[in-house]
Amino acid sequence: MNEYDSNRIFDTVKKIGFNKTDNIDEANCYLLNTCHIRDKAKEKVYHEIGRVKQTFGFKNKPLVIVAGCVAQAENEQMLKREPYIDIVIGPQSYHRINSKIEEFLEKQKKIDETEFDADLKFDYLSKLKNSSGKVSSFLTIQEGCDKFCHFCVVPYTRGPEYSRSFNEIVEEAKILAKNGVKEITLLGQNVNAYNYKNHKLSDLILEIEKINEIKRIRYTTSHPRDMTDDLINVYGISKKLMPLVHLPIQSGSNKILKLMNRNHSIEDYLNIYEKLKKINPFIQFSSDFIIAYPGEEEDDFNHTIELIKKLKFINSFSFVFSPRPGTVASKLKTIEKKVSFKRLQIIQKELFDHQINMNKSLENKIIDVLVENKNKKDNKFFGRTEYMTSAIFDANKDDVGKIISVKIISSNQNTLFGKKVEKSRLKVA
Ligand code: SF4
């Protein structure tokens, strides 16, 4: 979501004359869009600002803005702790960034802009042309969360669940399509909780599917509780919805799910899995796992391993629990580091081994890849399979933006390597 937000912030500041530069030394304005999900997010922000301070000093100081979830969580504290920062602006307020920049330049007074104002933000964004011209683009449809999992900061930094207007989203998808986008990933912290005047995520997928230029649709991140039958059934109807379901489960133990306040059980998850596999046996699942959550015993951990062995997740994410300030879990006793990392190693070996085997099984096979771009370093091209696996292959410049057939020659854990092949022509006599 931060990638989407960063692009929209750029679309906004362009209106008051700022252009993007890759050369930090020539920047008049340094904007850091932050994420609070990662470990030590706050400290990383101060460290980064320290680096900017060293580069520019005070004589040539650029305008320094911190945006995103860390700005939201820290707000005015940030301005007090690091006077080099001029403006902090939360993820629901960045539609006001131009007026805040102008206000600062005029008054030279620090600004804390961290109100939750999703309605106004999306009103503004709907009138602002999305300039993303990539083959694969994000499109935010929902923000915030009401679920309050005990380990997560999102409800505090992104505010309550909010769904954007159905028509505005479809309009933005059409603009993206006109700009050359072929794949859209619908985004939300609880994307499948999307509900705008009874239009649900399933309706949105079927509507966006009508746009000819759009060839692939994905969505992330979803919650098992909102995996309703209408969404499950779309997998049987849609021609463009990709067969990879990213559905975080976090743990294979009901006891831990309860301690996390996840509000779903392993049985609920398995039920969703069975229903989807019945609709399309080629659907694969990917997931997120928090290892060594406070209270996780050997038995709970073994349940997670069993679940991974059973469902054979691909492209998944796993981390050792790390407390986030302000959350319920931040007050709980953590598990010894040595034990936590040992468990993480075991989980990752299981996940990675499966990924390696799956990639190996594709060698010598021909698969569909959406070509995203040409690599800068070599003459190879980059794209993704239907299951989001990265592929690097030989192709032609004209193939960018097209779904082509690629013969896989070799693979490693994260990437498939191959070359474009022409689909053999069927002959009839
Ligand atoms: S549902 Fe997702 S975003 Fe909401 S609190 Fe839980 S982990 Fe965080």
Side-chain angles (χ1 to χ4, degrees):
M1 189 168 283
N2 268 27
E3 190 181 324
Y4 175 87
D5 286 348
S6 297
N7 287 335
R8 302 302 268 153
I9 290 172
F10 175 62
D11 285 339
T12 305
V13 296
K14 225 164 39 177
K15 291 177 107 181
I16 54 166
F18 285 97
N19 287 310
K20 215 191 261 176
T21 175
D22 291 331
N23 181 6
I24 175 174
D25 295 349
E26 64 174 27
N28 311 97
C29 172
Y30 183 84
L31 191 147
L32 188 63
N33 194 18
T34 60
C35 171
H36 210 293
I37 296 288
R38 296 278 184 248
D39 197 13
K40 300 191 184 79
K42 187 170 88 179
E43 292 316 312
K44 281 179 189 157
V45 171
Y46 290 116
H47 183 261
E48 182 61 24
I49 298 297
R51 218 172 54 88
V52 178
K53 205 194 299 188
Q54 259 188 358
T55 310
F56 290 93
F58 281 91
K59 220 169 142 203
N60 299 314
K61 183 183 175 306
L63 170 64
V64 176
I65 303 174
V66 179
C69 291
V70 179
Q72 184 69 43
E74 288 290 293
N75 50 60
E76 53 178 4
Q77 295 303 321
M78 196 158 242
L79 297 173
K80 281 186 195 147
R81 178 167 160 185
E82 180 45 273
Y84 208 69
I85 302 170
D86 300 308
I87 300 174
V88 287
I89 191 155
Q92 303 296 28
S93 314
Y94 68 74
H95 55 291
R96 296 206 194 91
I97 194 161
N98 288 355
S99 62
K100 294 298 143 190
I101 289 175
E102 282 162 352
E103 187 184 321
F104 178 82
L105 293 177
E106 193 193 322
K107 298 182 183 158
Q108 294 293 313
K109 210 170 152 241
K110 308 270 173 202
I111 296 174
D112 163 23
E113 185 68 23
T114 46
E115 276 169 43
F116 287 132
D117 212 345
D119 251 329
L120 284 179
K121 180 177 88 172
F122 285 115
D123 263 4
Y124 171 83
L125 290 185
S126 67
K127 291 174 200 116
L128 182 71
K129 202 172 163 225
N130 188 330
S131 67
S132 171
K134 289 181 177 174
V135 169
S136 177
S137 180
F138 293 123
L139 172 46
T140 294
I141 65 164
Q142 182 278 341
E143 274 197 34
C145 180
D146 300 334
K147 297 192 173 66
F148 291 91
C149 299
H150 284 172
F151 53 82
C152 181
V153 288
V154 165
Y156 310 100
T157 57
R158 291 265 172 179
E161 281 176 12
Y162 175 88
S163 296
R164 279 182 79 183
S165 141
F166 186 86
N167 289 340
E168 281 173 20
I169 296 168
V170 175
E171 279 315 303
E172 193 169 330
K174 285 180 184 165
I175 292 172
L176 289 173
K178 268 197 200 128
N179 288 357
V181 169
K182 305 289 174 200
E183 175 182 83
I184 288 183
T185 302
L186 303 172
L187 286 184
Q189 274 89 28
N190 265 280
V191 73
N192 55 343
Y194 177 83
N195 191 334
Y196 181 81
K197 299 186 177 166
N198 289 329
H199 290 298
K200 302 182 82 184
L201 176 59
S202 51
D203 302 315
L204 207 41
I205 291 167
L206 293 175
E207 193 60 31
I208 291 176
E209 175 155 305
K210 291 180 191 158
I211 306 170
N212 256 335
E213 297 90 331
I214 302 298
K215 305 293 176 207
R216 287 179 169 184
I217 302 172
R218 304 180 188 276
Y219 61 88
T220 197
T221 296
S222 31
H223 191 286
R225 226 175 73 188
D226 296 312
M227 212 65 206
T228 46
D229 281 344
D230 58 297
L231 182 55
I232 290 175
N233 291 334
V234 165
Y235 283 87
I237 309 166
S238 170
K239 303 257 179 314
K240 296 183 180 175
L241 182 59
M242 291 295 100
L244 174 70
V245 180
H246 181 71
L247 191 61
I249 186 156
Q250 312 296 2
S251 168
S253 154
N254 275 334
K255 183 190 102 187
I256 298 300
L257 292 183
K258 211 158 184 190
L259 287 175
M260 289 175 166
N261 195 34
R262 286 288 290 171
N263 278 308
H264 68 84
S265 65
I266 300 302
E267 292 69 30
D268 296 332
Y269 196 95
L270 290 175
N271 192 23
I272 297 165
Y273 179 89
E274 298 300 341
K275 281 184 186 172
L276 280 162
K277 282 283 188 184
K278 211 166 155 191
I279 288 176
N280 175 1
F282 294 107
I283 286 176
Q284 299 280 354
F285 276 63
S286 68
S287 201
D288 297 344
F289 297 91
I290 296 176
I291 310 304
Y293 187 77
E296 183 188 83
E297 292 172 299
E298 208 56 35
D299 208 29
D300 302 308
F301 173 68
N302 287 336
H303 286 320
T304 305
I305 294 280
E306 279 162 30
L307 189 84
I308 291 173
K309 281 188 197 293
K310 186 171 172 179
L311 303 198
K312 302 204 178 309
F313 296 96
I314 62 165
N315 294 326
S316 294
F317 302 96
S318 49
F319 301 96
V320 161
F321 167 77
S322 67
R324 294 291 178 274
T327 59
V328 174
S330 67
K331 298 180 191 87
L332 303 177
K333 191 171 176 287
T334 51
I335 292 173
E336 205 191 320
K337 265 193 181 157
K338 213 170 132 197
V339 176
S340 309
F341 284 100
K342 181 87 204 137
R343 288 183 187 169
L344 181 70
Q345 260 180 1
I346 298 171
I347 289 279
Q348 292 195 328
K349 181 164 184 339
E350 193 61 45
L351 290 167
F352 296 165
D353 279 355
H354 177 60
Q355 185 75 44
I356 289 167
N357 290 339
M358 169 146 163
N359 288 352
K360 263 230 140 354
S361 73
L362 294 172
E363 290 178 9
N364 292 317
K365 299 221 165 76
I366 294 171
I367 56 171
D368 281 352
V369 173
L370 173 61
V371 188
E372 292 193 21
N373 54 268
K374 187 167 181 269
N375 287 345
K376 278 186 186 148
K377 284 191 207 130
D378 48 27
N379 273 333
K380 307 271 182 197
F381 287 77
F382 172 84
R384 286 188 189 271
T385 69
E386 292 188 336
Y387 299 102
M388 278 291 278
T389 308
S390 305
I392 293 176
F393 45 89
D394 295 311
N396 311 313
K397 225 167 87 196
D398 300 349
D399 294 322
V400 174
K402 291 184 188 153
I403 294 173
I404 62 163
S405 300
V406 172
K407 180 167 182 182
I408 304 305
I409 296 162
S410 63
S411 66
N412 61 26
Q413 183 189 311
N414 297 318
T415 314
L416 302 165
F417 301 92
K419 60 175 183 199
K420 177 188 173 184
V421 288
E422 297 298 339
K423 272 189 186 147
S424 56
R425 293 202 183 122
L426 295 175
K427 291 179 185 161
V428 67

